[in-house]
Amino acid sequence: MGDTIRVWFGGDEGSLAAVLTVHASLAIYAFCYQISAVVLPYLAEEVHMDTVQYGGLIATFCGLQFVGGVLFGRAGDIFGSKTMMVVAHVSALVSYLMMSLSSTQLGLYLSEIPGLLQHGMQGSNMLIAHMSSGQQRIKALGRLGFSYGIGAVLGPLVCSHMDMVAI
């Protein structure tokens, strides 16, 4: 049973726990990213950003992601996929922490800088590619999308119900 689950989620080598950890961490990564995407417009409004400035904020993040994707991939070749997966999650944590503490427009812009290395999906792809081989690799990489999708759906769903929670 354990081998069937491990192979279904994408691992020829390594333990079932390692494969499931990659999927769980990706789901959590997507969950947090989607929550930040929902919360960011409200934070921008709090610091009095207009629509053009908010567009600039989003463009800044996209530009950093574009450049960072290449750097992240090369760093994965040098330092290894496990290290880069940790870097992706730490970058996300730092970005979200900075975003939550931002009380100015500059603070929101600075909170996007860690986005340069915020590549959880790419890190997960690297890990699963190393844990699988041949015919199973294509299926395993596709199934990562399922794990990301779970987090991407649950993040906004939970966020939509947060107004019901008394803080």
Side-chain angles (χ1 to χ4, degrees):
M1 175 76 168
D3 274 349
T4 303
I5 294 171
R6 179 178 45 78
V7 170
W8 192 90
F9 277 105
D12 290 341
E13 301 172 13
S15 69
L16 173 62
V19 172
L20 292 178
T21 299
V22 172
H23 282 270
S25 70
L26 181 61
I28 292 167
Y29 174 87
F31 179 85
C32 295
Y33 176 77
Q34 294 300 325
I35 285 178
S36 76
V38 170
V39 170
L40 187 58
Y42 296 103
L43 294 175
E45 188 177 323
E46 274 189 29
V47 297
H48 309 293
M49 274 189 172
D50 61 25
T51 307
V52 173
Q53 291 168 322
Y54 179 70
L57 180 67
I58 298 302
T60 299
F61 180 74
C62 291
L64 288 168
Q65 286 270 286
F66 180 73
V67 172
V70 175
L71 298 174
F72 191 89
R74 182 65 183 134
D77 293 339
I78 295 169
F79 301 111
S81 53
K82 290 178 189 174
T83 301
M84 293 314 294
M85 187 66 169
V86 171
V87 167
H89 285 289
V90 169
S91 295
L93 176 69
V94 169
S95 178
Y96 303 149
L97 184 62
M98 289 174 66
M99 187 185 300
S100 71
L101 298 173
S102 294
S103 59
T104 64
Q105 291 180 11
L106 178 61
L108 280 181
Y109 275 99
L110 292 175
S111 75
E112 301 296 340
I113 293 173
L116 187 69
L117 295 174
Q118 191 176 327
H119 295 279
M121 185 66 175
Q122 189 175 352
S124 297
N125 283 335
M126 288 191 294
L127 281 168
I128 290 295
H130 288 130
M131 287 190 234
S132 60
S133 62
Q135 298 287 34
Q136 293 300 324
R137 181 171 294 148
I138 296 168
K139 293 177 185 176
L141 291 171
R143 289 178 177 134
L144 275 176
F146 174 75
S147 296
Y148 188 92
I150 289 172
V153 168
L154 291 179
L157 182 66
V158 168
C159 202
S160 70
H161 293 289
M162 291 183 81
D163 66 337
M164 297 177 201
V165 178
I167 296 177

